[in-house]
Amino acid sequence: MTVQKKKFPPRPRSKSARIEQAVAVNEALTRYYPDARCELDYRTPLELLVATVLSAQTTDVRVNSVTPELFDRYPTALDYAEADREEMEDILRPLGFFRAKAKSLIGMGQALTERYDGEVPADQKKLIGLPGVGRKTANVVLGNAFGIPGITVDTHVGRLARRLGWSRNEDPVKVEADIAELLPEEEWTMACHRLIFHGRRICHSRKPACEVCPIADLCPSYPLT
């Protein structure tokens, strides 16, 4: 059986040319999405951490529909640690995978209480050590709650990175490293917000709206997609 190799769009051969293209894309998206931001509603690092954990395999809109009640019921890490699981599951039920998510939040609350006096650590390694927290979640929290630059590779960022020729990898960690080589560190967090906005609004997975895309002239996948 012959395994067909995945096709990638052509891209500039030199690294300097790829950097120039990536910077131009980011600048264009900055103008097009001046309001780009994290679309999860939160007020504190703990709320953002919780909301990001809950956002796995569901939409930000749906997460935002349940977090007001959740945040009111559990304002501190200790409240999560001591939560009644069935009560929490009832709140999370609209999200799907609510049992697993309740388990993660309770475990996360216990870990924060025991290890960090109930405070969310501004450290990637410590965040990843919490139940239910992976590298993507850690980077969301660091970039948005603490102002520490991070590259969040969700499905949108990964897809656009490949279409734009920034990466030829499927592994999010490798995509993150590829993007880090092309954009200045101070742009990482906001660049990802812009890519996510663009992926949700124009550069869709199945049928990208290339005819109205503000960066079509910079995209090596246009008009191939």
Side-chain angles (χ1 to χ4, degrees), residues 46 50-51 53-54 66-67 69-110 131:
L46 178 61
V50 168
V53 168
L54 295 179
V66 304
T67 49
E69 180 180 1
L70 188 74
F71 294 161
D72 182 64
R73 178 68 181 80
Y74 309 105
T76 70
L78 182 60
D79 291 318
Y80 284 99
E82 297 179 344
D84 179 276
R85 182 171 297 183
E86 290 186 1
E87 288 183 9
M88 184 178 288
E89 287 177 356
D90 284 341
I91 298 174
L92 302 181
R93 193 176 298 273
L95 300 181
F97 303 98
F98 59 91
R99 292 188 180 89
K101 291 180 178 181
K103 181 180 179 181
S104 291
L105 293 188
I106 292 171
M108 185 178 70
Q110 292 170 346

Side-chain angles (χ1 to χ4, degrees), residues 49-56 100-109 111 115 127-138:
L49 178 60
V50 168
T52 308
V53 168
L54 295 179
S55 69
K101 291 180 178 181
K103 181 180 179 181
S104 291
L105 293 188
I106 292 171
M108 185 178 70
R115 302 175 198 170
L127 285 169
I128 292 174
L130 299 172
V133 179
R135 190 178 183 89
K136 181 182 77 173
T137 295

